[in-house]
Amino acid sequence: MTSKVLVTGATGFVGGHLLAAIAAGRFGPRCAAVVLPTGLDLRDGEALAGFIADQRLDAVIHLAAQSFVPRAIAEPRETYEINVIGTLNLIQALEAAGFSGRMLLVSSGDIYGRVAECDLPVTAATVPHPGNPYASSKLAAEELCLQWSRRTAAQVLVARPFNHIGPGQSDRFVVSSLAHQVMAIKEGRQPAVIDVGDIDATRDFSDVRDVVSAYAAILAHGQDQTRYIVASGVERSVAQILRRMLELAQVQADIRVDAARLRPSEQRRMVADPSATTHDTGWRPLIDLDQTLADILQSVRSQ
């Protein structure tokens, strides 16, 4: 019998990779993805309930969100309407349809906010201190889904992914933005100067395809009402990643700090510990950073 999995946010960066993984059988050999019809907005609770009522879903992966932090700061009401009210509409529609399967809510490592360097790496025991409307809305969505699970037959699992990168990511995000500049220089479309912000800050970067594999493992093997960190466990600076992309592309360029790209209040260092996720689900990241960066450069070139 085919297992039907609703994927919200299927048209986004992660959603595309997730649908490809489902089609390849990495969520189970008889797993089929269900996506929302074009134009159906999670904020339209009535339309959403009407669609879900006819689906007989076995599982849900809830990716859909307003996830761009600068927009969340500029438009906090919209962010909460999508990330919290949209999630409320989803779980109410599922409850009305008698859903009793497993739901994976994709939250964010951003919910931890500013973390003192002495408290790194972040673990599931680290207390969240959201520092922007996106982060606080994701934490609110977590609590909303978990309380729903406590009073119904549905099981809810939460993934807290840290920075993920890979082919197809929007150039609004730092690694993709840098890759676009590297390839523009290589192809003669830009002078050999790369504009950067604070590239000495460190982050915990994972390949998006490893992140999708983590979602499959959590959905299959995670414990109900548990929050799981999805991260590489490796701390890298943006400068390290940029230097390696330049080497892989065989490009030489000057690095120029652009004041407009600086975020002085941003966390200087970040790394997370995914060992509890590995313990419960068996997942661990497998894709080498060089492979990720080579695939990003190739993706930019093909665009």
Side-chain angles (χ1 to χ4, degrees):
M1 180 178 293
T2 300
S3 174
K4 296 176 67 176
V5 180
L6 173 66
V7 179
T8 71
T11 60
F13 166 56
V14 180
H17 287 281
L18 195 145
L19 291 182
I22 290 175
R26 290 196 286 274
F27 279 72
R30 296 183 180 274
C31 180
V34 175
V35 301
L36 298 178
T38 302
L40 198 163
D41 193 309
L42 289 177
R43 290 170 287 185
D44 186 344
E46 185 176 347
L48 183 63
F51 173 75
I52 287 177
D54 296 331
Q55 296 303 315
R56 295 188 179 182
L57 299 169
D58 299 292
V60 176
I61 302 172
H62 183 28
L63 285 170
Q66 196 305 93
S67 60
F68 189 51
V69 172
R71 183 174 179 88
I73 293 171
E75 301 287 348
R77 180 179 296 275
E78 174 197 62
T79 299
Y80 264 74
E81 287 174 348
I82 295 171
N83 296 357
V84 182
I85 301 304
T87 299
L88 174 62
N89 288 340
L90 176 61
I91 61 177
Q92 286 183 326
L94 291 168
E95 185 170 1
F99 177 77
S100 59
R102 285 163 74 84
M103 173 177 169
L104 175 64
L105 171 69
V106 177
S107 181
S108 171
D110 202 32
I111 59 114
Y112 293 104
R114 297 289 296 273
V115 180
E117 292 187 11
C118 62
D119 293 327
L120 295 175
V122 169
T123 70
T126 302
V127 177
H129 293 287
N132 58 67
Y134 165 67
S136 60
S137 70
K138 295 302 283 187
L139 186 58
E142 287 186 19
E143 295 298 338
L144 189 61
C145 292
L146 290 168
Q147 63 80 27
W148 173 61
S149 178
R150 293 182 193 113
R151 63 177 180 77
T152 70
Q155 296 185 31
V156 169
L157 309 103
V158 175
R160 290 175 171 176
F162 283 71
N163 297 67
H164 33 298
I165 58 177
Q169 189 170 31
S170 166
D171 61 5
R172 296 184 305 175
F173 296 89
V174 61
V175 174
S176 181
S177 174
L178 294 173
H180 276 78
Q181 293 192 66
V182 169
M183 293 309 300
I185 293 169
K186 185 174 181 67
E187 295 170 359
R189 295 182 285 106
Q190 174 178 318
V193 177
I194 295 181
D195 291 314
V196 301
D198 181 8
I199 61 173
D200 292 322
T202 67
R203 293 292 180 266
D204 190 320
F205 293 99
S206 298
D207 189 294
V208 64
R209 294 160 293 190
D210 274 334
V211 171
V212 166
S213 294
Y215 296 165
I218 293 168
L219 192 62
H221 305 295
Q223 298 182 30
D224 183 25
Q225 299 177 27
T226 302
R227 310 177 211 237
Y228 290 102
I229 284 176
V230 179
S232 70
V234 178
E235 181 179 4
R236 294 185 175 97
S237 70
V238 178
Q240 286 176 286
I241 287 180
L242 175 56
R243 285 195 296 268
R244 189 58 186 143
M245 279 199 293
L246 288 167
E247 291 169 356
L248 290 169
Q250 297 182 319
V251 168
Q252 293 185 339
D254 293 327
I255 310 301
R256 181 173 64 192
V257 175
D258 178 359
R261 297 170 184 254
L262 291 173
R263 295 181 186 174
S265 63
E266 200 170 36
Q267 177 96 20
R268 294 293 303 158
R269 293 180 54 210
M270 178 55 71
V271 65
D273 178 7
S275 59
T277 306
T278 301
H279 178 270
D280 277 9
T281 72
W283 172 81
R284 63 183 70 250
L286 299 175
I287 300 174
D288 181 76
L289 179 65
D290 276 4
Q291 184 64 59
T292 301
L293 298 181
D295 290 347
I296 292 170
L297 292 168
Q298 179 57 40
S299 174
V300 171
R301 173 181 289 173
S302 68
Q303 292 172 19

